Amino acid sequence: MSINNEMELKGVFKAEQLEQLKSLSAIGELAVDKAVSRVLTTTYFDTPDHALHKHGYSWRVRKTGKTYTQCLKRQSEPLGAIIGRTEWEAEIPDQIPKIDLLENMKIRARIKRLAADNLQAVFQSVVRRQSRKLKFDDGTTVSLDIDVGEVTAGDAVQPICEFELELLSGSAAHIFELAATINQTVPFRISTVSKAARGYSLLSKEEPRAQKWKQFKLLKSFTAEQAVVDNLQQTISYLQANEASVLRGDAEGIHQMRVILRRLRAGLAIFQSNIAQEKYDWIVSEAKWLRDELSAARSWDVFIDEFVAPVAKLSRPTTGFELLLSGLEKERVLHRKQARSAVNSWRYTEFILGLSTWLCNDSWRDSAASSKAIDLSEPISKFCARQLKKQNKIVRKKCQKLGQMSEEERHKLRLAVKKLRYTIDFCANIYPEKQISIFQKKLNPVEAALGYLNDVLAAELLVEKLMSVKSDHATPAWLYTAGIVIGWHRHEATLTEKKLFKDVNR
């Protein structure tokens, strides 16, 4: 049985783009042989309670012609937009998977504990695959597979129209570069969802959910360089993990993607002196573009769910609230569509590919030497201590002028507090949990209060905007109700400000 470490990039495209993709000159110029077309029938096996899937494995038996091949896969950490998997593959005489052919003793024992004699077919995919081998000037080889077909689980069916660029040898950077070239002519969306994941999704009938940021494990043996690369790769992974949620118009998915973009920019700012200025400006510019495309939808979600709804519950039902909510809901629908369009655009795909290429090429180290540049080889503990001290000092200095702050200065304080929290999250693994917890408990109410005060200002601007653009909404009842909502939150803002001073002193 052969063991492979698979690295691939998967792109989902529209069926009507198939012939255009096949005939791209960028692919033809790299091809070393003619395209081979074949039908692949793949059956996926698991226990009745899907024990293999729950532990991160997928097991398939693929029929190609008269040949059967079993393959056990386990997904590993992603490299930017590339999916990494370890797979154990072997030819078998029929469609029944053979656990004893797993040569790795630990894996074989684990699968026996999970599955034993309880394996059964759970779903199937049938695709027509066109394959070509590509070779780049430096000798890097890549396989291109274009799959069109469907995956079937019970009565549920999902079409498949995707291509896979799998690294056979050489540099993974070429995969990103070729994908970017394809995207210019045949716009596609990067997918980290395997055919196995599609099948399990059909079985569960669960809608994709928003994915909250989880801190990656920062080891004390890490250098600053290892930490920042891992952190940025995780950022890309979480952006992609929330795409499906955003595309179905989920408010939490939009919120989480905005949070991840803030983390991306905060992390980049720390290492700005080590990054070529042109590349830094491009990343920040694209991140701002995406944030802006998502922000309008988030603003309306917050206003409707966190500002209008609580006041409506405390008030008597009136026509004014019905009119107000009707107008707001139209804006929410409109801007959620804007958010979906952004995530579904070629520009978003280009952004993810550009970030991944940059990380994979190590080109972020290519900037000219700077007196402010960070020593990327220093131990992570030393790096974290310096960053925590720096960010804490910035926040404390700003807080000294809290009573005299303008709205703009308070907004900057809010951003500084967020940056401090992201720095704490980044460093959390290498400090005692009790120390981190004590500091976070004192910082969290400060961040929450500053966020609420900022939302109150944003709510007032939204109402003004709606009045100016949608004059038909400005009926006496509508205006009266909007005034109640804003007035109620202005009162709450006054109380929040008083509490903020106490929390800052703590």
Side-chain angles (χ1 to χ4, degrees), residues 251 295-312 321 323-329 331-332 336 452 454-467 478-479 481-490:
S295 291
R298 174 61 181 168
S299 296
W300 291 110
D301 285 332
V302 170
F303 187 48
I304 294 171
D305 299 333
E306 299 179 23
F307 275 67
V308 179
V311 179
F321 273 109
L323 289 172
L324 179 61
L325 288 169
S326 175
L328 297 178
E329 195 60 44
E331 291 296 318
R332 169 149 68 180
R336 282 187 178 178
Y452 175 68
N454 184 71
D455 287 342
V456 172
L457 293 174
E460 294 179 14
L461 293 174
L462 286 178
V463 171
E464 291 176 8
K465 178 181 177 182
L466 196 60
M467 288 172 60
W478 188 97
L479 290 171
T481 307
I484 290 175
V485 172
I486 297 300
W488 192 88
H489 284 283
R490 278 181 178 170

Side-chain angles (χ1 to χ4, degrees), residues 63-209:
K63 181 183 179 184
T64 310
K66 295 182 179 180
T67 302
Y68 293 92
T69 306
Q70 74 172 17
C71 184
L72 177 70
K73 291 193 176 189
R74 181 178 62 194
Q75 187 160 326
S76 57
E77 292 299 316
L79 176 63
I82 284 185
I83 303 170
R85 298 189 186 93
T86 303
E87 56 180 34
W88 295 266
E89 193 172 76
E91 193 171 310
I92 54 178
D94 52 38
Q95 192 172 296
I96 308 302
K98 307 292 189 292
I99 295 179
D100 289 336
L101 289 182
L102 294 169
E103 293 180 356
N104 184 300
M105 292 179 62
K106 289 184 178 180
I107 294 296
R108 185 169 67 243
R110 187 174 301 151
I111 298 303
K112 281 186 175 181
R113 285 197 301 271
L114 292 172
D117 298 322
N118 209 17
L119 282 175
Q120 63 181 33
V122 286
F123 54 88
Q124 187 179 75
S125 71
V126 180
V127 300
R128 177 168 289 279
R129 168 170 290 182
Q130 185 186 89
S131 302
R132 302 190 82 169
K133 184 177 179 180
L134 312 179
K135 188 172 184 179
F136 294 82
D137 290 341
D138 66 350
T140 293
T141 55
V142 171
S143 69
L144 167 65
D145 295 323
I146 302 174
D147 291 345
V148 177
E150 59 187 27
V151 57
T152 304
D155 296 330
V157 179
Q158 187 178 103
I160 295 172
C161 195
E162 62 190 26
F163 69 84
E164 298 172 359
L165 292 170
E166 181 180 350
L167 182 68
L168 301 179
S169 66
S171 172
H174 286 301
I175 289 181
F176 297 122
E177 292 164 2
L178 177 57
T181 301
I182 293 172
N183 189 48
Q184 293 299 316
T185 306
V186 182
F188 67 91
R189 192 165 62 80
I190 299 169
S191 174
T192 56
V193 181
S194 65
K195 294 179 182 65
R198 288 172 184 251
Y200 283 110
S201 179
L202 288 176
L203 288 173
S204 67
K205 296 181 173 60
E206 290 182 358
E207 295 285 354
R209 297 179 180 179

Side-chain angles (χ1 to χ4, degrees), residues 225-236:
E225 178 181 341
Q226 288 174 296
V228 70
V229 169
D230 282 7
N231 188 60
L232 290 174
Q233 286 176 349
Q234 180 164 307
T235 300
I236 297 172

Side-chain angles (χ1 to χ4, degrees), residues 332-360:
R332 169 149 68 180
V333 170
L334 177 66
H335 289 96
R336 282 187 178 178
K337 183 178 179 181
Q338 179 183 348
R340 290 197 299 271
S341 295
V343 171
N344 219 14
S345 68
W346 70 268
R347 185 172 178 177
Y348 174 75
T349 297
E350 188 177 62
F351 175 52
I352 298 297
L353 289 172
L355 270 177
S356 300
T357 305
W358 175 66
L359 277 176
C360 192

